[in-house]
Amino acid sequence: TGPMSSECLGNLLRITLSAEYFEDKYLSLFVVDQSGTAWELDEAMAAQCGYTVTYTPWRSIQLRASALSCHSHLEKDMFTVTIQIKAFQTPDMSNATTHLKSASCPYGPWSPREIICENNYMEVSVRREVPQTIKNFLQDEPEDWTLVFPEAKAEEASIWQIVFHQPEEKRALVVSNAWSAGYGLNATGSRALLRVPYTAAQVQLVEDQGITFSVLRSSTFYKYQWVILMVDTAVACPVDGVDYTNKTITWTVPKYIPPLSAGITSFKDVLVEAGVDLHKLSAKEMASRKYVLLNESKAITMKIPIGAEGGYYKTSVSNGQLGVKYAIKLFLEHQWEDNKWGLTKHTIIKEIETPFEQTEVAIINNLNLSARLMNVTVGTFLPDAELVNLTIEGVVVALPEAVQHGYLIHRTSYANGSKAYVIQVPLDAPSVKKEYMREDMRAYTLNVTLTFITYPSSETFVVPVIALSAVKDAVLPSATGFCDGRNLQLIITRGNVDQNWLPFISDWQLTQEAAQKYNYILKDNGTSLTISVPFLSPYVSYEGFHTSAIKASFYLTLKDAITLAQRRDFSVSCIFSPSELIQCLPNGTVIITAIKLAGGEDLDTALLVLRDRQCKPSLVTEKTATFKFNVNTCGTSRKFNSTTMTYENEVLYFRPGNDIPIYQLKFLCLYAVKQTADLQYESKKTPPPSIKPGSGCLTLSLKLFKEKSYSEPYQESEYPVVKYLREALYFEVEMLQPKDARLHLNLDDCWATNSQSQDSLPQWHILIQGCENNQDSYRTVFHKVNYSLRVKFPQHLKRFEVRMLTFVQGTSLLQE
């Protein structure tokens, strides 16, 4: 049928623009008059000139034209309407494609009075009757008319003016002013016509039998020769009267309403017919659709089941929510005879929509595991809804660009015009969230928002699509463990689910900083995680202790980075020799490390002692205590035989007030009594020892500590420090650079002043040539510096204790 088709419907012509041809185009509609001039059809002109533009559920555009519309051509019981369509591909309205359509339809026979209630206007046309006596009068020249009434035209049958009857006044408008006010007027040789937009100023709302009507009371004056004739052009159209109960539409139209029955004393129904989409339905057709048409004494009632044939569902949006409305385009034709007009034909075209009803969108996820594709079907949707874009991870993506994000979108159409959308997304697409569930299962989640637009209302709504697929493809991280020398090694090979899992030891996260703090070695190359842990280090568990072996274990947990949920536990256990705990040095020094076994959490390693309970550990951690002493001290016993000398001691732990130890670690050091060593040497004259002077840069620090343990220095924010006279002050001098084990720090002179200047007077010497000041009543006390985690080079530090002093002159205190 081409891009346009036409249909004759009584005194109306309908032209349909094909959706297939004009879809996605920008259109301008024009009406072409007999001279070929094209008049653009906007809403105001359509209501004034007898045109109505509507849309079908299939998104076609329909134009209805009245037989007496502006620019229609009447000839021999036929009326012809010509329209022009300009179609544009872009909104700037350039490069238009023009289409012309001319269609003709028969009209008549006319009733004396015909009233049409269209969607956008009311129209009344009445027969013009001229008395016979007037016809016998001779017509004067046309210019005589214009001399008497300049507003009146000289044509034989022209409308001169219209008078509106309103409760408060009557208002008269000549034709030109009525046109300017939006009214449509026309006259033929036999009829006078008035067309009124519902929004016209003189339209009133009148209620009759509980139904509201748009009413215009008017009289139209026209001339015939030297005579002015008047016709009643009142018009009334119902604007409501629709009720929705029990899933049924009930449309009630009162009969013989007052504005149309003025001056009438008798009525008689001639015809009551109804139909859908301007097609009349027979009683049989109505019954098959379960329609009910009631013609009662005072009203005509039509009942339509919601969802019945003839109507259609349309997409609706309310407060962002998706829903539907059932719509049906009814019309009613009521003809009656009365003593004033003879026959009146009242045609009412009524588009009815039911209230909004919210709907849910079906989302079906069909996983194609072999192709590793998520196939998500969304819908169905009505023909008037169209998908326009997607929102993927917060980014709005137009449909043509979706494939760049890994999305393939197909539209599935059904026979009834509805449709669904199928979204295909690879499981490995970046926007598909992957999450470990349990055992070998992974959850794949598609989270995308679809945006739709409705036609022709241009409402938008969104459909959030969240589809979950569980797939048995999880590869969990695995681990291997081994020991080398004095270290426990754990190598974790990553799987495909642990990208966001973090290593934890107990309740703290194992980072590079934490690993360095505890002398761990942590390496992560993206595919595996390697942890090397020294045998004697924090968070190593000691689970068994025998004379020949110690079992040490290291435990590590992988946790979810977001929820901190425990995902996977790993451990490595190794057997170490007890000799790792003890060093028997040739000079008689013994270094022994005692360990706290698993299950002995209440044991405080700082309270471990040797047989001589005055011998306490020099280095303490949560699980170890290290003692350093000489074999001739701390209660060490000796045994001799012919070849060896054996030194024996014990690490003990006593509960407060109890002399029976609950922890006892016995250890031995064996030294050979006779041992021969072959040495090679050669005689060489040795020059006298000498020290060569040298120069270099030394970095020193002087710190004041709070206690004799030298564990916590005063911070800068704590100065000035308040001390009482003769209270102990603990100083530490450390050589920070260079870190050379061959260097030893020696202090020569050290003195105190009464001010911050080292050269100020008076001065009191604390050290003189590296020794105590013999003149001091409270001599300086040196403290031994031992190796610890903080002290790598004890020879680089000097510690001494000084009693608090003050400067006096005579009996007066000197102050800075």
Side-chain angles (χ1 to χ4, degrees), residues 25-26 28 86-98:
K25 292 183 175 65
Y26 300 88
S28 291
K86 288 186 177 181
F88 306 87
Q89 297 288 349
T90 57
D92 60 3
M93 301 297 188
S94 60
N95 302 321
T97 302
T98 303

Side-chain angles (χ1 to χ4, degrees), residues 109 111 232 349 461 680 753:
S111 299
D232 181 359
I349 300 171
F461 64 91
Q680 291 185 353
T753 67

Side-chain angles (χ1 to χ4, degrees), residues 684-690:
K684 187 177 181 180
K685 186 177 181 180
T686 304
S690 64

Side-chain angles (χ1 to χ4, degrees), residues 407-427:
Y407 287 68
L408 293 177
I409 300 175
H410 308 283
R411 181 168 63 182
T412 302
S413 300
Y414 302 105
N416 63 357
S418 62
K419 57 198 170 187
Y421 291 90
V422 179
I423 305 172
Q424 289 186 336
V425 189
L427 288 175

Side-chain angles (χ1 to χ4, degrees), residues 29-31 39-43 45-47 49 51-53 63:
L29 279 68
F30 299 83
V31 179
W39 301 83
E40 186 169 5
L41 191 64
D42 57 19
E43 290 185 8
M45 178 185 172
C49 285
Y51 297 95
T52 303
V53 178
L63 172 69

Side-chain angles (χ1 to χ4, degrees), residues 31 159 164 176 221 243 252 260 265 279 288 314 332 346 386 462 501 526 595 636 781:
V31 179
I159 294 177
F164 300 104
S176 57
F221 294 83
D243 186 36
T252 302
L260 303 182
T265 58
H279 290 280
S288 68
K314 61 184 294 185
L332 177 68
H346 194 187
E386 195 72 34
V462 298
W501 295 1
I595 57 176
T636 307
V781 178

Side-chain angles (χ1 to χ4, degrees), residues 448-651:
V448 63
T449 300
L450 309 183
T451 301
F452 291 80
I453 190 170
T454 62
Y455 294 95
S457 59
S458 296
E459 295 178 303
T460 59
F461 64 91
V462 298
V463 177
V465 176
I466 300 176
L468 178 67
S469 295
V471 181
K472 289 185 177 182
D473 66 349
V475 178
L476 295 174
S478 58
T480 57
F482 60 93
C483 298
D484 60 341
R486 296 175 59 86
N487 299 292
L488 296 90
Q489 303 277 359
L490 188 63
I491 301 176
I492 300 174
T493 302
R494 295 194 179 278
N496 61 7
V497 298
D498 55 327
Q499 293 82 2
N500 295 317
W501 295 1
L502 301 176
F504 274 75
I505 298 174
S506 185
D507 58 352
W508 58 272
Q509 182 183 344
L510 179 58
T511 62
Q512 285 290 356
E513 293 77 10
Q516 292 176 7
K517 177 180 178 181
Y518 296 116
N519 293 321
Y520 296 179
I521 297 175
L522 179 65
K523 297 179 181 179
D524 190 349
N525 62 8
T527 58
S528 64
L529 182 69
T530 302
I531 304 107
S532 178
V533 180
F535 163 61
L536 291 176
S537 62
Y539 298 98
V540 173
S541 295
Y542 306 100
E543 300 170 352
F545 199 150
H546 303 281
T547 56
S548 61
I550 301 173
K551 181 182 179 182
S553 299
F554 174 69
Y555 296 89
L556 183 135
T557 300
L558 294 181
K559 294 184 179 182
D560 188 283
I562 299 174
T563 65
L564 295 182
Q566 191 167 319
R567 294 301 191 188
R568 195 85 165 145
D569 294 319
F570 297 107
S571 65
V572 56
S573 297
C574 295
I575 302 298
F576 290 90
S577 170
S579 61
E580 298 289 343
L581 302 178
I582 188 168
Q583 296 181 60
C584 301
L585 302 180
N587 64 357
T589 299
V590 178
I591 302 174
I592 178 70
T593 299
I595 57 176
K596 179 169 64 175
L597 295 177
E601 283 74 12
D602 60 342
L603 188 147
D604 185 354
T605 55
L607 300 181
L608 290 168
V609 294
L610 298 178
R611 285 175 178 169
D612 182 349
R613 297 190 189 185
Q614 298 302 315
C615 294
K616 301 182 184 301
S618 58
L619 179 63
V620 173
T621 69
E622 183 185 356
K623 294 185 180 181
T624 65
T626 301
F627 296 84
K628 185 178 180 181
F629 62 98
N630 189 273
V631 293
N632 296 318
T633 61
C634 295
T636 307
S637 62
R638 291 177 291 182
K639 292 180 181 180
F640 296 89
N641 60 29
S642 59
T643 59
T644 60
M645 181 181 296
T646 303
Y647 292 89
E648 180 180 302
N649 207 327
E650 294 172 294
V651 179

Side-chain angles (χ1 to χ4, degrees), residues 171-184:
R171 185 184 179 193
L173 293 177
V174 296
V175 172
S176 57
N177 292 339
W179 269 98
S180 298
Y183 295 94

